[in-house]
Amino acid sequence: MTPRHFLEVDDLTPTELVEVLDLAEAAEPPRILSGKGAGLLFEKPSARTRNAVEMAVVQLGGHPVSMRGPEVGIDQRESAEDLARVLSGFHAVIGARVFAHRTVVRMAGAARVPVVNLLSDAAHPTQALADVLTLRQRFGTLSGRRLAWVGDANNVFCSLSLAAAMTGIHVHAACPAGFAPGAEHLARVAAAGGEVVVTERPEDAVEGADVVSTDVWTSMGQEDEAERRRRAFAGFMVDRALMARAGRDAVFLHCLPAHRGEEVAADVVDGSQSLVWVQSENRLHATRGLLAFLALGDQR
Ligand code: CP
Ligand code: NVA
């Protein structure tokens, strides 16, 4: 049987997404990985994701084995496919944080167990699960809420906008020219039942928003572009003046790590509207919910 993978949020149906969020909040996590392992590959650095997924596996009764990119050497020591085949013999689930999204797709194509995307250049779906969990805890019903994204239409934006579409949240994205979401992604959001209103003016996107979210201007793997990006994103910092345009009860989200004084002002990320610490802890709960969902599915 083909295993169930999680490479992007819309690999779940909207109903399954709610199931994952409910499992994330289960008082007693099922010990469904008891005696089993999770093979976790990290081609890029990670603090939150690695800790969240390792502890999620532990709380489900399993044992995580994390590997750094160079010790595995995808397409140097062996192919992504061979690694996935080998890990499938040891583990109940595979997680991978990769440079190229294609790598995690290739792993999923060869694996005999579920593969979870722990961040690629195209998507960060476990982050989006934590984001909507955080918003559900704050707002209860998500349908009809308005989320403003300010900055790069990057991996985090792509997954969050899909999760928003699947939960009925309207998205307004302010991105500098050249950093807006592509047509293919907008079509995918539409297929998930949502829409992204794109502008180059942060103040328009944020007007009346319930949620303001941003991310770094330069993602991992784009370090060579940092200077060009710093220039392009000038004027896109989320500061108090920008937050003042949002709704009175608006909250601020950031996947972290944050760069105070670049994409976000210190008094916003550290201010009373910021939910970033709850959001980061929810990485654990959301990932545990997802792994429980996938493991339970394997037993169906
Ligand atoms: N938000 C997030 O994925 O953080 P890490 O890169 O530290 O895992
Ligand atoms: N967009 C960022 C997210 C880090 C969690 C990156 O890919 O580096």
Side-chain angles (χ1 to χ4, degrees):
M1 204 175 66
T2 314
R4 192 73 196 270
H5 303 300
F6 183 71
L7 306 189
E8 182 49 296
V9 183
D10 59 0
D11 286 337
L12 300 174
T13 66
T15 308
E16 290 170 339
L17 174 55
V18 171
E19 207 180 314
V20 167
L21 300 184
D22 290 345
L23 280 165
E25 294 192 304
E28 287 286 326
R31 306 284 293 175
I32 191 144
L33 292 181
S34 179
K36 297 181 178 173
L40 308 170
L41 168 68
F42 289 89
E43 287 190 332
K44 296 175 179 176
S46 173
R48 279 143 291 273
T49 308
R50 178 169 169 184
N51 280 277
V53 68
E54 288 198 3
M55 287 314 299
V57 171
V58 167
Q59 291 178 5
L60 294 171
H63 180 85
V65 178
S66 288
M67 297 152 276
R68 292 301 303 261
E71 67 187 303
V72 172
I74 289 211
D75 292 335
Q76 286 152 3
R77 289 191 77 231
E78 61 189 319
S79 69
E81 289 82 358
D82 281 0
L83 178 68
R85 289 181 190 112
V86 169
L87 294 179
S88 297
F90 300 145
H91 297 290
V93 63
I94 295 170
R97 168 168 285 202
V98 296
F99 282 98
H101 188 74
R102 177 88 197 120
T103 302
V104 79
V105 172
R106 289 170 57 202
M107 290 177 77
R112 301 188 304 280
V113 299
V115 173
V116 174
N117 178 5
L118 300 175
L119 183 147
S120 67
D121 57 351
H124 195 4
T126 62
Q127 177 70 52
L129 295 179
D131 298 353
V132 289
L133 179 63
T134 305
L135 295 177
R136 190 174 83 159
Q137 289 168 348
R138 169 54 64 112
F139 294 119
T141 307
L142 295 181
S143 186
R145 294 282 172 184
R146 180 169 164 166
L147 181 145
W149 178 267
V150 180
D152 191 13
N154 61 12
N155 46 5
V156 170
F157 166 80
C158 286
S159 294
L160 180 57
S161 55
L162 283 168
M166 291 166 63
T167 52
I169 299 174
H170 306 297
V171 178
H172 293 245
C175 315
F179 298 93
E184 203 177 312
H185 182 70
L186 294 177
R188 192 163 174 174
V189 170
E195 191 197 5
V196 180
V197 178
V198 182
T199 172
E200 289 181 17
R201 292 166 49 86
E203 55 277 27
D204 290 351
V206 165
E207 197 67 49
D210 299 296
V211 186
V212 179
S213 187
T214 188
D215 185 16
V216 293
W217 293 338
T218 300
S219 286
M220 293 180 279
Q222 299 173 334
E223 289 78 5
D224 290 353
E225 302 171 23
E227 197 41 53
R228 179 171 77 86
R229 286 173 167 269
R230 214 169 279 129
R231 280 195 300 274
F233 286 93
F236 279 74
M237 184 199 295
V238 178
D239 58 15
R240 274 173 63 181
L242 195 62
M243 284 302 291
R245 291 177 173 267
R248 208 164 45 92
D249 299 324
V251 298
F252 174 76
L253 296 184
H254 191 312
C255 64
L256 306 179
H259 297 96
R260 292 167 174 80
E262 283 196 21
E263 77 276 2
V264 63
D267 55 6
V268 170
V269 69
D270 299 320
S272 59
Q273 289 170 289
S274 173
L275 290 184
V276 299
W277 311 120
V278 178
Q279 182 187 5
S280 75
E281 185 183 322
N282 274 335
R283 296 296 311 283
L284 164 62
H285 306 305
T287 303
R288 193 181 59 236
L290 174 74
L291 296 182
F293 172 84
L294 294 173
L296 287 165
D298 257 9
Q299 292 186 350
R300 277 176 201 133

